[in-house]
């Protein structure tokens, strides 16, 4: 694709944003000139970029007030949002861009419902471009080992997950729940068979870990994408979670163990700027989590293997390299025609 250059600006200090930016970079750099830089934090930094990358297509991988177009460029916003409503003032920021790309139907729908006026396209990166270790055996070895990955934030539902797990396994050491979180986590495990990993792992270590467990379980209240779910699917690890938000784009009914949920008002937020009136989330009660975990225990190895194969096959139809690359290349060609 000659005469077309792409700059990706990502929030490097947000782990999942950096990973997504790197996935776009890895996918597109073989076919066009692509650079990946941190999101500018000041007017001076944006001015420098506008001079250095004049005429480039710029993909902004950030959130909220980080969405500021770079002058002399074709600016594309790529927002993520977990809850069901997008803050109105943030819609105004997105309307200053040439177009918007999303990774899931959830984000696309809530932006359109919020009144976004610029074109919006669902154009995720290839989520199969990493060498994620694949699970080879589904036979129980000693005890069932459950796994979750998530920052120590209330939205991730750690409290619900741990409560539901202890309801399913009231006696310690009947199973094992490992929660990979970050060094910023300040709370302690309620029981010795719930292991909190408060360490920084490099990317290679993380994506090798999934296949060592028996089931990935999430009680997250909301996900705009749900990158750990995608990683579990690629590892062919059985997934146990709700069917709401970004999960609905990653998963298909009957290819995972569904944790039932109720859609409820979401009045809380970590930052007032993240709030939108009427926003909702998916609440899975500890009892619902318990029920889903106990259902997992009834599956034999053949059922688990069949479930994970179907989940991965469905996933690759949307997030596989060939599909994702073709869709983005086609869109870039359309942009190139109009520049």
């Amino acid at each position: 694709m000659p005469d077309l250059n792409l700059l990706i600006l990502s929030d490097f200090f947000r782990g999942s944003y950096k990973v997504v930016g790197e996935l776009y970079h890895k996918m597109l750099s073989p076919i066009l000139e692509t650079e990946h830089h941190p999101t500018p934090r000041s007017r001076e930094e944006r001015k420098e970029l506008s001079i250095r990358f004049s005429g480039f297509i710029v993909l902004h991988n950030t959130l909220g007030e980080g969405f500021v177009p770079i002058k002399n460029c074709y600016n594309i916003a790529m927002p993520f949002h977990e809850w069901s409503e997008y803050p109105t003032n943030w819609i105004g920021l997105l309307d200053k861009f040439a177009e918007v790309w999303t990774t899931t139907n959830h984000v696309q729908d809530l932006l359109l419902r919020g009144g976004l006026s610029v074109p919006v396209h669902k154009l995720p990166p290839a989520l199969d471009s990493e060498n994620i270790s694949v699970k080879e055996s589904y036979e129980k070895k000693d005890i069932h080992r459950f796994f979750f990955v998530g920052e120590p934030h209330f939205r991730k539902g750690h409290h619900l997950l741990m409560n539901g797990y202890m309801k399913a396994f009231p006696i310690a050491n009947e199973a094992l729940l490992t929660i990979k979180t970050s060094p910023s986590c300040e709370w302690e495990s309620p029981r010795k068979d719930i292991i909190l990993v408060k360490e920084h792992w490099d990317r290679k270590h993380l994506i090798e870990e999934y296949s060592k467990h028996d089931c990935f379980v999430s009680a997250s209240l909301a996900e705009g994408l749900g990158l750990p779910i995608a990683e579990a699917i690629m590892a062919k690890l059985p997934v146990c979670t709700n069917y709401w938000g970004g999960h609905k784009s990653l998963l298909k009914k009957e290819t995972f163990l569904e944790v039932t949920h109720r859609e409820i008002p979401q009045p809380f937020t970590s930052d007032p700027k993240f709030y939108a009136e009427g926003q909702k989330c998916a609440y899975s009660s500890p009892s619902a989590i318990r029920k889903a975990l106990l259902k997992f225990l009834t599956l034999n190895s053949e059922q688990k293997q069949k479930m994970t194969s179907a989940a991965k096959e469905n996933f690759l139809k949307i997030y596989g390299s060939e599909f994702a690359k073709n869709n983005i290349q086609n869109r870039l060609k359309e942009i190139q025609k109009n520049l």
Side-chain angles (χ1 to χ4, degrees):
M1 194 176 294
D3 303 320
L4 195 61
N5 300 308
L6 177 69
L7 171 64
I8 304 169
L9 298 175
S10 295
D11 291 352
F12 283 10
F13 61 95
R14 293 187 172 99
S16 60
Y17 282 68
K18 185 178 181 182
V19 170
V20 169
E22 289 172 345
L23 289 172
Y24 276 106
H25 188 202
K26 184 176 182 179
M27 178 178 66
L28 294 173
S29 56
I31 58 176
L32 73 160
E33 188 67 31
T34 305
E35 293 194 36
H36 190 200
H37 293 273
T39 301
R41 308 297 290 272
S42 67
R43 182 180 300 179
E44 289 73 23
E45 289 180 355
R46 287 190 288 272
K47 183 177 180 180
E48 290 177 9
L49 291 176
S50 71
I51 296 171
R52 181 180 173 187
F53 297 102
S54 178
F56 273 53
I57 294 175
V58 181
L59 181 61
H60 297 251
N61 177 25
T62 183
L63 59 77
E65 295 175 356
F67 283 114
V68 181
I70 303 297
K71 290 183 179 180
N72 307 318
C73 298
Y74 188 92
N75 292 279
I76 301 172
M78 193 179 69
F80 291 89
H81 196 67
E82 293 80 16
W83 316 118
S84 64
E85 304 297 330
Y86 200 74
T88 302
N89 60 319
W90 288 2
I91 291 285
L93 297 177
L94 298 181
D95 277 335
K96 296 178 181 179
F97 284 71
E99 60 184 76
V100 171
W101 289 6
T102 71
T103 58
T104 60
N105 293 333
H106 169 72
V107 177
Q108 185 175 34
D109 292 346
L110 69 87
L111 292 176
L112 293 174
R113 190 167 60 249
L116 183 71
S117 62
V118 298
V120 56
H121 307 275
K122 181 185 172 187
L123 293 169
L127 297 181
D128 65 339
S129 58
E130 297 179 283
N131 295 319
I132 297 178
S133 299
V134 177
K135 191 169 181 61
E136 296 179 353
S137 174
Y138 296 92
E139 296 290 345
K140 179 185 175 185
K141 294 180 179 179
D142 45 13
I143 57 174
H144 291 288
R145 299 173 184 272
F146 297 93
F147 189 48
F148 176 64
V149 178
E151 292 294 310
H153 188 286
F154 81 92
R155 179 175 58 81
K156 296 295 184 178
H158 299 84
H159 52 304
L160 302 170
L161 174 57
M162 290 189 287
N163 197 315
Y165 169 83
M166 289 188 289
K167 281 179 174 289
F169 304 100
I171 300 175
N173 297 324
E174 288 184 307
L176 188 69
L177 172 62
T178 300
I179 297 177
K180 168 61 183 78
T181 186
S182 72
S184 63
C185 179
E186 297 181 348
W187 27 268
E188 300 300 324
S189 169
R191 218 169 65 179
K192 60 183 179 180
D193 57 335
I194 299 177
I195 300 174
L196 298 179
V197 182
K198 306 176 188 181
E199 302 171 355
H200 170 74
W201 286 355
D202 62 31
R203 187 70 183 155
K204 184 176 183 294
H205 185 172
L206 177 64
I207 62 177
E208 288 178 347
E209 192 68 20
Y210 288 88
S211 62
K212 300 176 183 178
H213 298 269
D214 297 308
C215 181
F216 185 87
V217 56
S218 170
S220 179
L221 294 164
E223 293 293 338
L225 172 64
L227 192 58
I229 294 290
E231 292 160 358
I233 294 170
M234 285 303 304
K236 296 188 73 174
L237 180 65
V239 171
C240 182
T241 191
N242 61 43
Y243 195 58
W244 193 88
H247 291 171
K248 295 184 73 173
S249 289
L250 301 177
L251 295 160
K252 181 180 179 182
K253 291 275 190 175
E254 310 303 326
T255 66
F256 72 106
L257 289 153
E258 184 175 354
V259 180
T260 58
H261 71 272
R262 290 188 290 117
E263 191 174 74
I264 63 171
Q266 174 48 53
F268 307 107
T269 181
S270 55
D271 186 322
K273 293 181 291 187
F274 287 48
Y275 179 71
E277 186 176 1
Q279 68 187 13
K280 295 180 179 180
C281 67
Y283 167 71
S284 294
S285 70
S287 293
I289 296 164
R290 170 187 174 274
K291 184 176 180 180
L293 292 178
L294 293 180
K295 183 176 180 180
F296 172 76
L297 302 187
T298 69
L299 301 180
N300 59 39
S301 59
E302 184 179 352
Q303 289 171 315
K304 295 171 189 173
Q305 186 170 24
K306 184 177 180 181
M307 176 184 289
T308 57
S309 295
K312 189 168 183 176
E313 180 181 0
N314 172 72
F315 177 82
L316 292 176
K317 290 177 182 177
I318 302 173
Y319 296 96
S321 296
E322 182 178 356
F323 187 89
K325 185 184 292 185
N326 287 341
N327 277 353
I328 290 178
Q329 280 187 285
N330 290 338
R331 181 59 203 151
L332 291 174
K333 288 176 182 177
E334 289 297 316
I335 293 172
Q336 187 178 32
K337 288 179 184 178
N338 298 315
L339 287 178

